[in-house]
């Protein structure tokens, strides 16, 4: 993997089994909805056309093929941020290539965007009131575009706020302002999840179109959310 994940490849090559152990132990907060650990997960995801937005400049009903909501980040992707520095979409401006214990998955980077605060990522202040400071949004596609993966990677006010956020059972995917460009058009399968690591929280929504199985959606959600979250442990 590239971006922040790629830059930590050497450390994570050694730490891969450790990350897997953390997931099993529940130390990366949040897990599958059928596991008995700290969970914020939902199924199905709700199409954003039914979700209100506080941003009057953004129309969630716009077709992603003609008016993408998120323009690519203008940040130089070659810039390596200092450890613990502010998150940028440029850190994630590369394809996702995951391999761990015989599992191999991949997705192509589509777009990313930096947000100076959380207002563009939320509906009716739902994230800000829970301690969100700012974040980035990253969208990828897999299986020829039949699977779409969108991450909102958030910095919270504190580790405690992030952990509380990832355990908040009142949180729904309708609290996140994702758009039609972030999902498969007319998707019939969707799941979402929030995990936290330190002061960061990662919301991931995965949608699948025709010919994609529920298991494929679940696997992409599990591994991509866990991978992006685990990378934050080394910031």
């Amino acid at each position: 993997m590239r971006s922040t994940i790629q830059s930590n490849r050497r450390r994570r090559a050694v730490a891969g089994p450790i990350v897997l152990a953390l997931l099993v132990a529940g130390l990366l907060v949040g897990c599958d909805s059928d596991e008995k650990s700290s969970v914020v997960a939902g199924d199905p995801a709700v199409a954003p056309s039914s979700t209100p937005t506080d941003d009057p400049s953004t129309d969630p009903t716009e077709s992603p093929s003609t008016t993408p909501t998120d323009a690519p980040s203008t940040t130089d992707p070659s810039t390596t941020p200092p450890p613990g520095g502010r998150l940028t979409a440029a850190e994630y401006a590369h394809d996702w290539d995951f391999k761990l214990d015989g599992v191999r998955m991949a997705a192509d980077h589509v777009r990313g965007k930096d947000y100076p605060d959380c207002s563009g990522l939320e509906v009716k202040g739902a994230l800000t009131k829970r301690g969100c400071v700012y974040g980035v949004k990253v969208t990828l596609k897999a299986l020829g575009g039949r699977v779409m993966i969108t991450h909102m990677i958030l910095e919270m006010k504190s580790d405690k706020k992030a952990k509380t956020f990832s355990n908040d059972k009142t949180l729904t995917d309708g609290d996140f302002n994702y758009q039609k460009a972030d999902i498969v058009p007319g998707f019939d399968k969707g799941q979402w999840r929030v995990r936290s690591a330190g002061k960061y929280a990662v919301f991931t929504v995965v949608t699948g179109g025709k010919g994609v199985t529920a298991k494929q959606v679940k696997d992409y959600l599990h591994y991509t959310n866990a991978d992006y979250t685990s990378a934050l442990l080394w910031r």
Side-chain angles (χ1 to χ4, degrees):
M1 288 158 284
R2 300 189 176 103
S3 71
T4 297
I5 304 171
Q6 178 69 23
S7 68
N8 288 326
R9 174 179 282 177
R10 290 184 180 178
R11 282 178 291 178
R12 294 184 62 238
V14 176
I18 298 174
V19 171
L20 187 61
L22 289 172
L23 288 171
V24 172
L27 298 181
L28 286 180
V29 178
C31 46
D32 289 341
S33 57
D34 56 357
E35 293 176 358
K36 297 179 180 179
S37 301
S38 301
V39 180
V40 173
D43 182 10
V46 178
S49 59
S50 62
T51 304
T53 176
D54 287 345
D55 184 358
S57 65
T58 302
D59 180 4
T61 64
E62 288 292 327
S63 169
S65 62
T66 57
T67 312
T69 300
D70 292 337
S73 171
T74 57
T75 308
D76 181 4
S78 66
T79 301
T80 301
R86 190 177 179 92
L87 294 167
T88 68
E91 297 174 53
Y92 303 95
H94 298 283
D95 298 341
W96 179 65
D97 188 8
F98 179 82
K99 187 176 182 180
L100 178 64
D101 288 352
V103 176
R104 181 69 185 266
M105 307 189 84
D108 298 327
H109 180 266
V110 176
R111 68 182 66 85
K113 185 176 180 179
D114 297 310
Y115 291 82
D117 54 34
C118 299
S119 60
L121 294 167
E122 63 190 350
V123 173
K124 296 183 177 179
L127 309 187
T128 299
K129 71 181 181 183
R130 289 176 167 92
C132 180
V133 180
Y134 73 94
V136 302
K137 182 162 68 172
V138 181
T139 298
L140 306 100
K141 64 180 181 180
L143 302 183
R146 291 182 295 125
V147 168
M148 295 288 288
I149 303 163
T150 292
H151 303 285
M152 293 185 189
I153 306 162
L154 314 174
E155 181 169 330
M156 310 297 286
K157 289 183 177 179
S158 65
D159 292 20
K160 183 178 180 180
K161 287 285 188 181
K163 186 173 183 179
T164 299
F165 184 80
S166 65
N167 282 294
D168 188 345
K169 304 299 185 183
T170 68
L171 195 66
T172 74
D173 64 319
D175 292 321
F176 297 85
N177 187 23
Y178 60 97
Q179 307 297 316
K180 290 187 74 172
D182 303 326
I183 62 174
V184 174
F187 75 91
D188 58 5
K189 300 173 186 69
Q191 293 186 4
W192 63 276
R193 173 172 298 115
V194 178
R195 275 192 175 97
S196 67
K199 64 181 177 180
Y200 302 105
V202 180
F203 164 83
T204 304
V205 58
V206 177
T207 51
K210 185 177 180 180
V212 176
T213 68
K215 183 180 186 303
Q216 285 175 310
V217 169
K218 183 177 180 179
D219 286 348
Y220 272 102
L221 177 64
H222 175 77
Y223 287 107
T224 190
N225 178 265
D227 193 42
Y228 273 68
T229 305
S230 67
L232 295 166
L233 292 171
W234 284 276
R235 285 188 66 88

